[in-house]
Amino acid sequence: MKIVLVVGKKKTGKTTLMEKLIADLTLKGYRIGSMKYTTQDHEFDTPGKDSHRHAQAGAESTLILSPTQIALFSRTMRAKNLDQLLDFIFADCDLVIGEGFKNSPFPKIEVFDTRKHSGLLCLPEDNLIAVFGDIDPLGKVPYFSPDQIDSLVEFVENQFLKEGSKESRFQGFQ
């Protein structure tokens, strides 16, 4: 499984960049998976729905299947072998793009906004592979401005999707 992460401070455009990368790579014919890390617990399932009722009754994990979607809610899955779970979930994907996970060892594209940053969250030794933002704050990794989104998509494609590109395995993400 190949993985690239989009990191940055809050409200810098990470989700917007994710949407653009996913849409453009999908248009090129790639199967893209996505995942998001959040630092806050949220109630993802709606109270009163059957899956929520199952969880309230004590189910550790609830899998919901419909003709077009699948969702998994689990209280304990992080304690299990996450590598196997991700292999299962993203088995049909050419690339998984994650939002967040800034402390993981996987390749990262940092969204940088001088109005919100005083410096980068990640450096090349943190596996920072590119910066996307209003200025190039580092000068040591490829930099893409907002009007260079097509070049960033091409960069991701060349790094992760073309034959002979680098491959990332998900191990011990945070």
Side-chain angles (χ1 to χ4, degrees), residues 87-99:
D87 281 342
F88 169 73
I89 292 171
F90 296 117
D92 294 332
C93 296
D94 298 311
L95 176 67
V96 177
I97 304 174
E99 182 176 341

Side-chain angles (χ1 to χ4, degrees), residues 5-9 12-18 20-21 108-114 117 120 128-137 141-153 155-156:
L5 305 173
V6 174
V7 301
K9 291 193 176 180
T12 55
K14 295 182 302 294
T15 301
T16 301
L17 179 58
M18 292 273 301
K20 188 67 174 159
L21 287 171
K108 298 168 190 71
I109 299 167
E110 185 163 338
V111 180
F112 186 81
D113 182 341
T114 54
H117 283 77
L120 289 171
L128 179 68
I129 61 166
V131 173
F132 178 82
D134 57 351
I135 66 164
D136 183 357
V141 296
Y143 162 74
F144 302 90
S145 67
D147 63 342
Q148 295 177 307
I149 188 68
D150 292 338
S151 296
L152 178 59
V153 169
F155 173 80
V156 170

Side-chain angles (χ1 to χ4, degrees), residues 18-148:
M18 292 273 301
E19 290 172 324
K20 188 67 174 159
L21 287 171
I22 292 166
D24 286 6
L25 291 168
T26 299
L27 281 174
K28 290 177 171 253
Y30 296 108
R31 296 167 305 186
I32 305 299
S34 71
M35 59 186 178
K36 162 90 170 123
Y37 179 78
T38 180
T39 57
Q40 300 174 344
D41 282 331
H42 296 278
E43 190 64 42
F44 292 107
D45 204 6
T46 307
K49 293 291 185 180
D50 291 351
S51 55
H52 186 265
R53 292 171 61 192
H54 296 181
Q56 292 302 109
E60 289 187 23
S61 297
T62 301
L63 183 66
I64 305 165
L65 301 163
S66 77
T68 60
Q69 296 182 30
I70 183 172
L72 173 65
F73 300 95
S74 178
R75 300 171 199 255
T76 60
M77 197 54 71
R78 291 245 350 170
K80 307 280 188 222
N81 186 333
L82 192 55
D83 208 31
Q84 290 176 340
L85 177 65
L86 292 172
D87 281 342
F88 169 73
I89 292 171
F90 296 117
D92 294 332
C93 296
D94 298 311
L95 176 67
V96 177
I97 304 174
E99 182 176 341
F101 309 99
K102 69 180 178 192
N103 295 322
S104 79
F106 300 98
K108 298 168 190 71
I109 299 167
E110 185 163 338
V111 180
F112 186 81
D113 182 341
T114 54
R115 295 168 296 175
K116 308 234 192 265
H117 283 77
S118 58
L120 289 171
L121 295 175
C122 300
L123 296 171
E125 51 268 22
D126 303 314
N127 215 354
L128 179 68
I129 61 166
V131 173
F132 178 82
D134 57 351
I135 66 164
D136 183 357
L138 192 61
K140 294 182 180 179
V141 296
Y143 162 74
F144 302 90
S145 67
D147 63 342
Q148 295 177 307

